[in-house]
Amino acid sequence: MMSFSLLGVELIICLWIGVMLIADLLLPPAKKSSLWLLALAGVAIAGGALWTQSQHALWRGLPAALGAAQAGEIFQDMFIVDPFSSYFKALFLITAAIVILMTREFQAHVPAHLGAFFMLLFTALLGTLVLASINDLLILFLGLELLTFSLYIMAAYLKTDSRSVEAGMKYLILGSVSSGFLIYGIALLYGFAGGTSFTALRAALANTAGPVPLTAQAGLVLLLAGLGFKIAAVPFHLWVPDVYEGAPTPVVAFLSVGSKMAGVIAMLRVLYGVWLPLHSLWGPMVALVSAATMLYGNLCAIPQTNIKRLLGYSSIGHAGYLLMGLSTGSVFGVSAVAYYLLAFLVSNLTVFFVVIIVSEAVGGDLIEHYQGLSTRSPGLAAAMFIGLLSLAGVPPLAGFVGKLFVLLGTMETGRLWLVALGAVNVAISLYYYLMIVKRMYLDAPRSTAPIRVHPLAMATIGVLVVGIAAIGIVQEPFLTRITHIPFAVLR
């Protein structure tokens, strides 16, 4: 009998999509500004369902390897619930909750159909949750398109802003090309395995005598190309700067963390869950893309004058580090990627939260607007400082530990050239992040008027900053949780 309890989190999110739509239709305009509370309640209920699901899971309290064996599967094994999916679903729900709080600061720009905006956010969240549980290429495609189609609309949500419309159009057009790669890759792999499930693919690989057919190799390359677009890996990164600059900032925050995380976990499921025996085939390719992505993202970030474009190029650089972890093909590499994503979540969302508040206060996203921020709002400047240092990889913050684990994992593979390149890119990123810090602390402010910050926003930023410090300094609780993940994805 099919256990729908495994779908509890996704069903609650589906229900809340309807709740947000009805609330948007029925609430009078004067009351719609409180829709964020309803959205936050939906995420909290889904979080409660995920916690309950984890408490009753068969793997709880068992050794990690046993946990993988006891994972729950439904829809003829197309959808799987295991420690890997639980961990990332928790991160997706945290991301959505923080983005909802960001939207509260931004909602003056969304005067109409605010409920529809939150509804789209929940649809995108549903896509990410589905991607955490994929065990079939068709479910992968479904989850990815659910996520990206929601983000296409959200990127162009500010219809009176030409930059927002341009961002949505560019994202849609280039995203359609990546979907083409993805579906061609799935078609070729279906031809090779006679099915789209990961089980069928593993069986086909095991039964292949001699080299894997070229059609299967081409299918894998096309599949990775489609996923490479989602995480903004070179050469599929062209949409990033314009979309980051033009899209509403809360959408960019979700795009930079939620969408990137979804693409990475899809790659983990595919590469480690199916194609790990052929690591010698895809490992060097992923390592080369990692090197190009790191260099391109960090070098292009240096001359930027717009903070959102700079963070866009910076996110390309971070995609390079994540690919470096993926290229290892080891258990430690999976743990390193999981830790890196956790550190990236708290660091990047801290920075984007500050960007939204400063942008609302000064009316722009230029880096020069951050001149003298330490005078106008010492708390915001301090949070931005810590968030940027963590993104750069300065000890003892979360970003440092994430980068350290990725570099150690790569060192085990013997690719010392990639480790050296990763270290060089830490120095490059530190340069352009510190240029923002210089503006905040050493340059004279254009205005001495203090920037007012709502207590709820300041409290959220404070929690994120504490998270940056805690993940960097007190690693044991996070490592204990992450230890179960590699055994769940390796099958």
Side-chain angles (χ1 to χ4, degrees):
M1 180 178 174
M2 187 181 294
S3 175
F4 281 100
S5 63
L6 296 176
L7 279 172
V9 182
E10 288 77 9
L11 289 176
I12 288 170
I13 296 299
C14 285
L15 173 68
W16 227 256
I17 291 171
V19 169
M20 296 309 300
L21 183 61
I22 293 168
D24 190 41
L25 291 173
L26 298 183
L27 277 179
K31 299 284 186 183
K32 288 188 179 180
S33 60
S34 59
L35 276 171
W36 66 273
L37 269 172
L38 190 62
L40 203 58
V43 174
I45 294 170
L50 180 64
W51 184 82
T52 306
Q53 194 179 66
S54 300
Q55 292 301 300
H56 291 90
L58 292 172
W59 59 80
R60 183 169 179 262
L62 297 177
L66 283 178
Q70 301 287 345
E73 299 169 338
I74 55 175
F75 299 131
Q76 297 181 336
D77 300 345
M78 296 172 81
F79 187 93
I80 189 166
V81 178
D82 55 14
F84 178 91
S85 66
S86 298
Y87 174 80
F88 284 110
K89 283 178 185 179
L91 296 192
F92 286 133
L93 291 174
I94 292 169
T95 303
I98 295 168
V99 170
I100 289 168
L101 291 170
M102 286 182 185
T103 307
R104 181 194 168 281
E105 302 295 316
F106 189 81
Q107 63 187 10
H109 299 277
V110 194
H113 308 298
L114 184 60
F117 184 85
F118 284 123
M119 186 191 73
L120 286 167
L121 179 61
F122 273 84
T123 313
L125 174 62
L126 180 62
T128 60
L129 295 174
V130 170
L131 281 169
S133 289
I134 55 170
N135 198 36
D136 188 284
L137 293 175
L138 292 182
I139 296 291
L140 184 157
F141 185 74
L142 180 69
L144 216 49
E145 293 307 298
L146 194 58
L147 168 64
T148 48
F149 267 91
S150 306
L151 291 174
Y152 296 153
I153 303 169
M154 292 172 77
Y157 211 77
L158 306 179
K159 291 184 288 187
T160 56
D161 186 340
S162 59
R163 293 180 309 165
S164 178
V165 176
E166 181 186 351
M169 288 301 295
K170 281 188 176 175
Y171 194 30
L172 171 64
I173 293 168
L174 294 174
S176 302
V177 175
S178 78
S179 296
F181 284 135
L182 201 68
I183 203 70
Y184 272 119
I186 291 173
L188 288 173
L189 291 176
Y190 175 79
F192 164 65
T196 55
S197 73
F198 290 178
T199 306
L201 284 167
R202 281 191 292 269
L205 284 173
N207 294 330
T208 300
V212 177
L214 284 177
T215 52
Q217 295 184 31
L220 176 62
V221 170
L222 288 171
L223 194 68
L224 293 179
L227 293 174
F229 174 87
K230 310 303 177 190
I231 68 167
V234 171
F236 312 106
H237 62 282
L238 295 176
W239 57 276
V240 172
D242 291 336
V243 172
Y244 270 57
E245 183 180 4
T249 310
V251 177
V252 179
F254 190 81
L255 195 66
S256 69
V257 176
S259 180
K260 191 181 293 294
M261 195 154 51
V264 169
I265 63 175
M267 282 186 168
L268 279 171
R269 286 279 196 200
V270 170
L271 292 177
Y272 284 72
V274 179
W275 293 89
L276 192 56
L278 297 180
H279 175 250
S280 59
L281 177 70
W282 56 262
M285 180 178 67
V286 175
L288 285 174
V289 175
S290 160
T293 304
M294 275 190 299
L295 271 177
Y296 182 89
N298 286 314
L299 290 176
C300 288
I302 293 174
Q304 299 305 315
T305 57
N306 182 294
I307 188 78
K308 288 167 70 178
R309 287 183 76 90
L310 182 143
L311 291 174
Y313 281 110
S314 157
S315 81
I316 295 174
H318 286 285
Y321 284 100
L322 290 166
L323 288 170
M324 189 193 294
L326 278 166
S327 71
T328 60
S330 66
V331 169
F332 187 79
V334 181
S335 297
V337 170
Y339 208 98
Y340 195 100
L341 285 171
L342 178 64
F344 184 67
L345 185 157
V346 290
S347 308
N348 215 36
L349 291 183
T350 300
V351 171
F352 268 107
F353 219 134
V354 175
V355 167
I356 286 178
I357 294 170
V358 173
S359 176
E360 292 300 298
V362 304
D365 295 315
L366 296 178
I367 294 175
E368 64 186 40
H369 289 145
Y370 289 76
Q371 288 181 194
L373 181 63
S374 61
T375 305
R376 302 185 65 184
S377 179
L380 283 183
M384 188 78 163
F385 180 47
I386 294 170
L388 291 174
L389 289 188
S390 180
L391 285 175
V394 174
L397 302 173
F400 165 74
V401 182
K403 281 190 169 68
L404 180 66
F405 284 171
V406 167
L407 293 174
L408 288 175
T410 308
M411 197 175 290
E412 286 182 355
T413 66
R415 293 194 184 96
L416 297 182
W417 64 271
L418 191 55
V419 175
L421 196 61
V424 168
N425 274 275
V426 168
I428 297 172
S429 66
L430 191 59
Y431 170 74
Y432 62 76
Y433 286 136
L434 286 180
M435 290 303 291
I436 303 173
V437 174
K438 171 187 167 293
R439 294 258 186 185
M440 293 192 300
Y441 283 93
L442 299 182
D443 291 359
R446 290 183 164 188
S447 165
T448 55
I451 295 176
R452 298 185 182 279
V453 186
H454 192 278
L456 180 60
M458 205 64 232
T460 308
I461 292 172
V463 170
L464 287 170
V465 169
V466 170
I468 292 173
I471 294 167
I473 298 169
V474 189
Q475 300 152 19
E476 184 61 31
F478 306 102
L479 286 173
T480 302
R481 178 65 178 161
I482 287 170
T483 301
H484 295 263
I485 292 175
F487 296 100
V489 76
L490 296 168
R491 291 175 175 276

